[in-house]
Amino acid sequence: MIKLTTPISEEVIRNLKVGDICAITGIIVTARDAGHKLMVEERPGFLDEYLNGGVIYHCGPVVKKEGEKWSFVAAGPTTSAREEPYQAKVIESYTVRGVIGKGGMGEKTLEACKNYGAVYFHAVGGCGTLLAKSVIEVITVFKLEEFGAPEAFWVCKAVDFPVIVTMDSHGKSIHADVKKASNEVYTKIMTELSAK
Amino acid sequence: MQNDLTAQVFELIRSASVDLSPDVEKALIAARDKETEGSTERGTFDVILQNNKMARDNNTPICQDTGTLIFYIDIPRKTDTMPIEEAIKEAARQATKNFLLRPNAVDPITQKNTKNNVGEKAPYIHFEQWDKDYFRYKLMLKGGGSENVGTQYTLPNTPLNAGRDINGIKKCVVDAVFQAQGKGCSPGIIGIGIGGDRCVSYLTSKEQFFRKFGERSPDPVLAEMEIDLYNTLNKLGIGPMGFGGKTTVLEVFAAKACRHPASFFVSISYMCWACRRKTMIIKNGEVQYD
């Protein structure tokens, strides 16, 4: 288990390899479809202090407000592929060092990880309750009214948030490897079904 | 009476959101036990199982995506459905307020979230009259990530070289699960709708998720197809979350509907491992949950 603390330096990120199991402590910022679109089209400055060397989390949490204080009730990852058109640009323009999500991302993002020094962390999808336990505090929230709770930017403090590196800064992706291996089996099955 | 029904539906929503059914849990444990000690795949199943226990113990959602609410309700003849609809909407509002549901209903034109899971066609409610004198409510919470990897094919299909026969149907299913990789939160449960028009085909595929694991189709040809596809799909090696591994699907359910001579649809609905569906029976004022 590798312990990481945000902001993360490029050197630390370059040392990570696919398959590494990590625990992230520090600030993470949730962003989904509306957030990524905004970051690319308008590049708001209010995120800079949290994202420089920081970590984006593809997540739309279930949140609770008690008095003036927000907290996460359930907060697992959402499908990252939807952010593929935007992610590379976001990594570059905000100097993001890590992206947490599920399902992996494509070649454009992998290329950006290589060029700018970032990695993709996979959290276990569906585990909303377990992952919310690692988020100890909501620091602030942006665009809550406009985007709604799932799509808002939730800036929060995590402790030992559990993830696995599945895309590293050296061009390696577990998702690409599994797709390639499963493609061989797929081709074989389809051929057998044609022959029967 | 109305307040009672709202409370009963609220409990149905609560249990679907926080308490994974025993048949699904059992399949996840079996999948975990198949993986090697110390592997990422086994570790992933351990995290999943730990999460499910925590959700049950803490009364919090298994997954933050509490899905789209889909109700199938069997009602005695001549039942007035309006009060039922109202009770469901009120229960959905209350469940959202109590953090059992995430606000998941968004207007597709204004992009505004209704903030309470109630809006046009939300929740989705399907009524059917039956000959019995009691009510059966079936609820499914259908996650968005898994819904996005569902797909529909028409046969014959040139790119897949698939004809209007059993092997052609199988090819569609293998292609859909391969394309989905880990994106639908694998291992998934696969619902297959064969025939119908486009709507009926998709509906048929999705209704299958109400079946209990291990419950085979009454049609022997489809039952055999289910078993065969389960074994075939698990050879793909996509595994939990797409990390690779022995279990890519937990269950395969197929059903058919008559088609138009010109059309042949094969629809595949994908349910994430967090297969959340529950049933409530109201008989002579007594309520039973399953």
Side-chain angles (χ1 to χ4, degrees), chain B residues 67-78:
Chain B
T68 297
L69 285 89
I70 301 170
F71 285 90
Y72 269 67
I73 306 171
D74 297 305
I75 50 174
R77 289 180 179 192
K78 295 181 183 166

Side-chain angles (χ1 to χ4, degrees), chain A residues 60 76 126 128-130 186 194, chain B residues 51 60-62 64 102 167 171 175:
Chain A
T129 281
L130 183 132
Y186 166 81
S194 292
Chain B
N51 174 71
T60 49
I62 294 164
Q64 77 293 337
R102 186 176 71 182
N167 279 358
K171 280 184 171 182
D175 187 63

Side-chain angles (χ1 to χ4, degrees), chain A residues 30-96:
Chain A
T30 72
R32 289 171 44 124
D33 314 332
H36 278 78
K37 191 168 182 281
L38 186 84
M39 284 189 281
V40 167
E41 289 175 0
E42 296 178 29
R43 205 203 173 281
F46 59 77
L47 292 169
D48 279 294
E49 62 175 303
Y50 307 112
L51 286 185
N52 197 324
V55 174
I56 284 180
Y57 182 20
H58 297 156
C59 169
V62 173
V63 290
K64 185 173 174 177
K65 195 177 190 183
E66 284 164 316
E68 284 307 299
K69 204 75 194 142
W70 288 99
S71 63
F72 281 13
V73 177
T78 190
T79 307
S80 300
R82 292 196 307 271
E83 316 319 336
E84 180 65 10
Y86 309 111
Q87 201 67 69
K89 187 80 196 151
V90 169
I91 288 172
E92 181 192 357
S93 79
Y94 285 96
T95 323
V96 173

Side-chain angles (χ1 to χ4, degrees), chain B residues 73-81 84 127-137:
Chain B
I73 306 171
D74 297 305
I75 50 174
R77 289 180 179 192
K78 295 181 183 166
T79 302
D80 177 7
T81 57
I84 299 178
F127 290 102
E128 213 148 310
Q129 296 195 13
W130 65 353
D131 263 340
K132 303 185 169 90
D133 61 357
Y134 59 92
F135 296 82
R136 182 173 66 182
Y137 289 65

